Every structure is written in C-alpha cells, then in structure tokens.
Amino acid sequence: MLVVHNPEHARHAGRHEMFRGRLVACHEVPQRLDHVLAELRRRGIGPQLTPLDMHAGEDAAFEALLRRVHAPRYLDFLARAWSDWVALDPANAGLDALPSVWPVRGFRSDVEPDNFAARLGLYSFDAGTPLTAGTWLAARTGAHGAVLAARAVASGSVLSAFALSRPPGHHAGADFFGGYCFLNNAALAAQTLRDSGFARVAVLDIDYHHGNGTQSLFYERADVFTVSVHGDPRTEYPFYLGHADERGAADGEGFNLNLPLPRGTGFARWHDALVQGVDAVRAFGAQALVVALGVDTFEGDPISGFQLHSADYLQVGASLATLGLPTVFTFEGGYAVAEVGVNVANVLEGFGR
C-alpha cells in the first residue's frame, strides 16, 4: 500500500474551537497524523511519500479539479481568508478565525459580503472549525496528496493507497467548511478515479460522523455511489444530513445509502452495517473504491459514541478487502490521539493489499 502523507499538515493547528457552548482546546490536532505516521513506519506499511516526492512544480490538472469539485469563489475565499482576517486588525495574527454569523434559511447567499465576518459565516456551517495562518496551505497540500494517491491507484502502479492528511475532508462541501474540514479529500479522490476511466466509483464512509459534504457533492449523480455508516443524526453531529431516507435525487436517486446507528453501538451491530454497505457497493458494480477512514468509532474517542476496540479494526480492513477493488483511503476522524495510530494501522493491515 502506498502512503501519501502531508508534510504541511502541522501548519494548521487551531488554538480553540466552540464545543457545547464553550471555547475548548481543539480536538483535531497535529499529533493525530504524527501518531499514525509513526505507527505505519513501525510496522513497515508503505512506501511513504509526500506530494512533493510524487509531483514537482505546479499541477494544472489538480488546480482545475479543485475548481470542479469546489466552487471557485469558495476556494478564492480560503486562499485569502487569513490575510483578510489579519488586515482587519494586526492583533488578529495571534487569534484563530471562528465564524459567528450564518445565512440561515430564507437569507441570501448569492452575494458575497464585503465584511469578513459575514464572508466567514457564508462559507461555514459551525463554530468548531478554526481557520489559522496555515490552514489553506495544509488543506491544499493534503488535497493534492489525495489526488496523487488516486492517480497512483488509477494507473495500476499500486493496488491501494492511503492519503494520510489533515485537516480531514469529508464534511467539506462544494462551498462550505465545517467539522474540521475545508477541502473534501475523499470526493477529490473519487472524481480523480472517475476522470481516470473508472465508470462507477463508490465512496464508503466509516467515520463516526456522517460525511455530509461528500453526500451533498454527489447527491444527484449516478456514477458515484455514496455509503455512510455513522451516528444517528437525530442526536449526533453534523445533525442535519445522514438520515436513512436520503437516497439521492434526480439522476442520483438510489445512489446514496445512509446507515445511521444509535450512540453506544458495539462492534457486532456496527460490523453488520458495514457488511450491508459493502454488499451495496458490490451490487452497484463499483470498479474502484474510496474509503473515508475515520477511527472515531473507537470506544475511547472523546467526542463520539460507538464502542469499537482496537483489535476490531483488523476485521474492518479485512471486510473492506472482500470487495477486491482498487482502493484509496483518506484519513478522516479519530480523536483518541494516543490510540489513533494503532487503530488506523490495524485497518490497513487487515486490508492487506
């Protein structure tokens, strides 16, 4: 398995997030990736490359892909957001930017405001995703890594690849960020596989939290089948998508499958849902697979509610491998920082390709 890791990830290091009504230290921290990379190296899972190792210089195709998956004005906002934030007040350089106002239903979103706070709210859906001086570089480099991982799989040079990046991506939509995510790495990998000649691609999201951004990006398409096993949105973040009756729309009707489960679900029931998702991917006739790999399903995760044990992740990988597909993994959630490396490595080791 090829591992493509993001050497710029630590440039995104938020100070605080809004969590349950108060400012707390961020749960999504650079150490998450560091622990995973260290464990992969300890086990000899690789080769391990960075985007710079794989592609020198500008990548026009990547830039064009970014602007097909994400709205150009959203990307332009992210690219200049930090400089705009500091321009308001030089003291802002010592603070993270967090949104505080949003255009809810009935408000206009077609006009980009001049006011920075209003622009920040226009493109976000929560107050828990701090934007920092290095956010854009970290997110963009990580997204490039996901695309390069998908290109490697599509070329046939490897059977599988793991895009080890942060910030994560599956909550990011065409023109919004949230849930610690800014660019949707899984969606970019899936579109790369489609552009490389795979007619049918599946995205299987096994993070505790529903991949609302990925669902929204492909909801009206029949060529990318999206499946998500996650906490019930009636009680679990991100709340407003992820119900079982969301099956796609227009051309995408029937090509979205949500498998929500209650807080406290243990491995046996969770694995039954995973098998249901795997069977649905098989029935779809997928020719390639993207796995949005979150291990916040772990029993010790501080912001989630499933009860998987570290050893269970070996079986998770083995179950995914039964599809026998060219596969790209993208690194999503997992906030029990000390255990995240073992849990991720167990999935990849169980997958064994």
Side-chain angles (χ1 to χ4, degrees):
M1 176 175 293
L2 171 67
V3 176
V4 184
H5 64 93
N6 180 2
E8 305 290 356
H9 79 95
R11 293 179 180 269
H12 173 72
R15 297 170 177 85
H16 298 97
E17 63 177 89
M18 184 67 72
F19 183 70
R20 296 174 182 168
R22 58 194 177 95
L23 280 176
V24 300
C26 289
H27 291 97
E28 203 289 296
V29 295
Q31 290 82 1
R32 297 175 61 242
L33 187 147
D34 296 337
H35 279 282
V36 175
L37 189 58
E39 184 64 18
L40 297 182
R41 286 174 173 165
R42 189 185 73 80
R43 299 195 197 186
I45 296 174
Q48 297 169 4
L49 303 174
T50 72
L52 288 178
D53 296 326
M54 300 177 70
H55 195 289
E58 294 299 314
D59 189 339
F62 168 65
E63 297 294 343
L65 176 64
L66 270 183
R67 290 181 174 263
R68 288 169 55 209
V69 172
H70 291 286
R73 75 170 189 170
Y74 170 64
L75 296 172
D76 293 342
F77 164 78
L78 288 179
R80 68 175 190 267
W82 185 255
S83 60
D84 288 351
W85 169 240
V86 174
L88 290 176
D89 183 344
N92 283 349
L95 303 170
D96 296 341
L98 283 171
S100 59
V101 60
W102 295 269
V104 297
R105 291 172 297 280
F107 288 23
R108 291 187 66 176
S109 60
D110 59 314
V111 179
E112 187 178 67
D114 292 334
N115 181 282
F116 175 79
R119 288 200 304 278
L120 187 64
L122 177 66
Y123 295 116
S124 69
F125 69 86
D126 69 20
T129 306
L131 194 149
T132 78
T135 295
W136 174 240
L137 177 60
R140 186 184 177 283
T141 305
H144 197 192
V147 168
L148 291 171
R151 287 179 188 170
V153 169
S155 73
S157 61
V158 294
L159 294 173
S160 59
F162 177 35
L164 175 55
S165 185
R166 56 167 300 279
H170 72 148
H171 292 305
D175 61 354
F176 59 80
F177 69 87
Y180 312 141
C181 303
F182 297 89
L183 298 174
N184 196 309
N185 302 319
L188 289 161
Q191 189 59 55
T192 299
L193 293 170
R194 279 288 295 111
D195 293 346
S196 300
F198 293 102
R200 286 175 163 251
V201 174
V203 180
L204 177 52
D205 192 320
I206 59 173
D207 190 277
Y208 180 78
H209 305 96
H210 175 252
N212 56 327
T214 311
Q215 173 175 306
S216 68
L217 283 163
F218 296 118
Y219 202 62
E220 296 186 357
R221 289 174 55 172
D223 57 333
V224 178
F225 181 44
T226 48
V227 183
S228 182
V229 182
H230 54 269
D232 190 329
R234 292 175 297 179
T235 61
E236 307 307 311
Y237 181 94
F239 303 114
Y240 307 110
L241 283 179
H243 297 279
D245 64 352
E246 297 160 13
R247 302 188 63 254
D251 291 345
E253 175 68 35
F255 295 98
N256 186 82
L257 175 64
N258 286 326
L259 299 167
L261 297 168
R263 175 173 281 265
T265 293
F267 180 64
R269 184 174 179 187
W270 184 91
H271 187 256
D272 286 344
L274 174 64
V275 171
Q276 183 180 347
V278 166
D279 288 345
V281 169
R282 187 178 290 111
F284 169 67
Q287 298 169 343
L289 175 68
V290 176
V291 177
L293 175 56
V295 293
D296 44 3
T297 50
F298 177 61
E299 60 177 339
D301 197 273
I303 61 172
S304 304
F306 290 162
Q307 297 298 314
L308 275 66
H309 304 294
S310 290
D312 295 332
Y313 291 105
L314 291 163
Q315 181 59 54
V316 172
S319 296
L320 294 169
T322 64
L323 286 166
L325 293 174
T327 301
V328 179
F329 292 84
T330 61
F331 183 43
E332 304 294 350
Y335 308 102
V337 176
E339 295 85 4
V340 69
V342 169
N343 294 340
V344 168
N346 279 356
V347 174
L348 301 185
E349 189 171 291
F351 187 78
R353 301 179 72 227

